[in-house]
Amino acid sequence: MSFYGRFGELGSMAKIGAQNIQQHLARGLQPVYLVAGDEPLQSMETVDAIRAAARQAGHSLREVFEVDRQFDWSRLLESGNSMSLFAEQRILEVRLPSGAPGKEGGKAIVEYCQRPADDAILLIQSGKIDKRSKNSAWFKALMQFVVVEVWPIKPAEIVRWIGERMASRGLQADRDAVRLVAQRVEGNMLAAAQEIEKLLLLLGPGAVTAEQVREAVANSARYNPFDLIDSALMGEKAAPRCVRMLQGLKGEGVQPPQVLAPLVNELRNLHAMALQVEAGRPPAAVMGKVWNQRKNLVGSALGRLSSSLLSDLLRHAAHIDRINKGAAHGYDAWLELQTLFLTLAGQPLALRTA
């Protein structure tokens, strides 16, 4: 069977959001897919949708390639060039957690994309693709087909997403119930999906109140220092969330230095950008190294954070570092971190800058 006869002629490159994958698949399959990103629920569900559509189209065999440092990329090319013993159509699934195939992997991907297998769909599931890789030949080769980039839902959108997810599962939740689920899972979409399934199992379809959620939903909040930093940059309205996240990190066994290190890096970058803004450069011109997904957040923070305040925050961070190293006694590193994050969020507190 010819390539175009089975898949249809390819148009221009396609980059779609995870939320549009079903609509895309309804129009027919393409021979190559890349699903990239570090948000596990959307990545998993996108890959599952592509697999299901491929199976429905007759791709009954599945070959899985787990990529590590010792992986031989010639295996992928050999599989693509060989026909199934019983002429069955296949899914060639490459799992690339690092988001970077390396030199040999990049060559193999380019070569495969030049002549995709007639009887197979290549499905690459990857970690987050960095900016440098997006300029590579292998990524551009994949962009001739379908690339699905998976981004975590923004904190401001998680309540709406949870409400829509509950409704899609037959749960008619009131506003307080939705907000309570959002508070319990703290932005973890996979945990939210699991809790919604638990509610459906325990309560069945129908109306759901906050009291029912309170009784049924386990506290499955998961935190990381980078989300905490982004919450602080959102400003004063996010201050209560910062406190909850900091307490959550402490409760999960994270140590203060693990929170402080990425925060200091962020503060240094903000301080350098603030100095340039105060010298007359527009904020957009000083954020060249900031990820596109964070530019609005960082730009907003630069509008309210002076270089002087950021210098004070860095000095307070140095004080916390001394606590961590045992050089400053009588202080609680977690309380000092809370002061630091709340000040960054816009609540002026007494910083230790000596």
Side-chain angles (χ1 to χ4, degrees):
M1 184 179 293
S2 72
F3 173 77
Y4 289 129
R6 188 162 59 85
F7 290 106
E9 188 170 354
L10 289 172
S12 59
M13 62 185 181
K15 189 176 182 180
I16 64 175
Q19 71 277 12
N20 298 321
I21 189 62
Q22 293 289 1
Q23 182 181 358
H24 161 79
L25 292 170
R27 296 195 296 266
L29 288 164
Q30 294 295 343
V32 180
Y33 288 88
L34 168 66
V35 179
D38 52 10
E39 199 296 300
L41 178 68
Q42 293 181 92
S43 180
M44 177 180 68
E45 292 187 341
T46 300
V47 168
D48 284 347
I50 296 170
R51 285 196 200 111
R55 285 194 297 267
Q56 189 174 7
H59 294 260
S60 56
L61 290 182
R62 180 169 160 232
E63 298 177 36
V64 178
F65 303 91
E66 299 280 359
V67 177
D68 55 23
R69 291 183 178 180
Q70 287 75 43
F71 180 70
D72 182 358
W73 282 93
S74 66
R75 290 174 52 202
L76 173 63
L77 296 177
E78 289 170 0
S79 186
N81 290 329
S82 63
M83 298 291 289
S84 167
L85 184 61
F86 299 103
E88 293 177 282
Q89 297 182 65
R90 301 167 295 156
I91 303 171
L92 306 180
E93 189 168 324
V94 176
R95 295 174 181 172
L96 183 64
S98 68
K103 184 177 179 180
E104 294 305 314
K107 289 180 180 179
I109 290 171
V110 170
E111 184 174 342
Y112 185 97
C113 289
Q114 289 171 345
R115 294 188 62 186
D118 283 344
D119 68 332
I121 287 175
L122 174 61
L123 171 56
I124 301 176
Q125 184 177 10
S126 166
K128 187 176 180 179
I129 307 294
D130 63 27
K131 191 173 183 179
R132 180 180 180 183
S133 293
K134 288 182 179 179
N135 292 319
S136 66
W138 66 266
F139 185 81
K140 291 177 181 177
L142 290 169
M143 282 290 289
Q144 298 176 67
F145 300 96
V146 180
V147 172
V148 185
E149 283 199 273
V150 176
W151 298 101
I153 288 183
K154 298 175 182 177
E157 297 174 355
I158 190 68
V159 173
R160 176 185 58 78
W161 180 85
I162 289 174
E164 292 175 353
R165 181 92 177 190
M166 293 180 80
S168 73
R169 303 297 290 146
L171 296 170
Q172 301 161 15
D174 61 31
R175 181 176 299 180
D176 288 342
V178 174
R179 290 186 180 280
L180 183 55
V181 173
Q183 181 179 339
R184 294 293 184 94
V185 301
E186 283 289 357
N188 185 327
M189 295 173 67
L190 182 57
Q194 291 169 343
E195 297 301 349
I196 290 168
E197 293 303 313
K198 184 186 299 181
L199 284 171
L200 183 62
L201 180 65
L202 293 173
L203 305 176
V208 179
T209 66
E211 185 59 34
Q212 288 173 306
V213 172
R214 192 172 288 109
E215 293 176 358
V217 176
N219 187 347
S220 58
R222 295 293 182 269
Y223 308 87
N224 70 68
F226 300 98
D227 288 343
L228 174 56
I229 292 168
D230 282 355
S231 290
L233 294 182
M234 292 174 67
E236 194 168 359
K237 289 183 179 180
R241 184 170 189 262
C242 289
V243 174
R244 290 199 305 272
M245 294 179 76
L246 198 60
Q247 292 172 344
L249 285 166
K250 181 180 179 181
E252 291 172 5
V254 175
Q255 297 302 307
Q258 295 173 277
V259 179
L260 188 63
L263 176 59
V264 167
N265 184 62
E266 185 75 21
L267 290 173
R268 286 171 176 163
N269 290 336
L270 286 168
H271 183 256
M273 289 186 283
L275 287 173
Q276 294 182 65
V277 170
E278 290 167 6
R281 296 192 68 191
V286 305
M287 292 192 293
K289 295 183 178 180
V290 177
W291 284 98
N292 287 335
Q293 294 289 320
R294 299 186 74 236
K295 282 187 177 179
N296 288 339
L297 180 68
V298 173
S300 176
L302 286 173
R304 62 180 178 81
L305 298 171
S306 67
S307 62
S308 175
L309 176 59
L310 289 163
S311 292
D312 287 343
L313 291 170
L314 283 166
R315 282 191 284 270
H316 190 86
H319 168 71
I320 298 172
D321 185 53
R322 289 193 293 274
I323 297 172
N324 293 333
K325 294 176 179 177
H329 302 285
Y331 300 101
D332 184 323
W334 286 106
L335 288 177
E336 299 299 327
L337 278 168
Q338 179 172 303
T339 297
L340 188 55
F341 275 103
L342 289 177
T343 306
L344 181 61
Q347 291 193 354
L349 299 170
L351 296 173
R352 302 183 191 278
T353 58

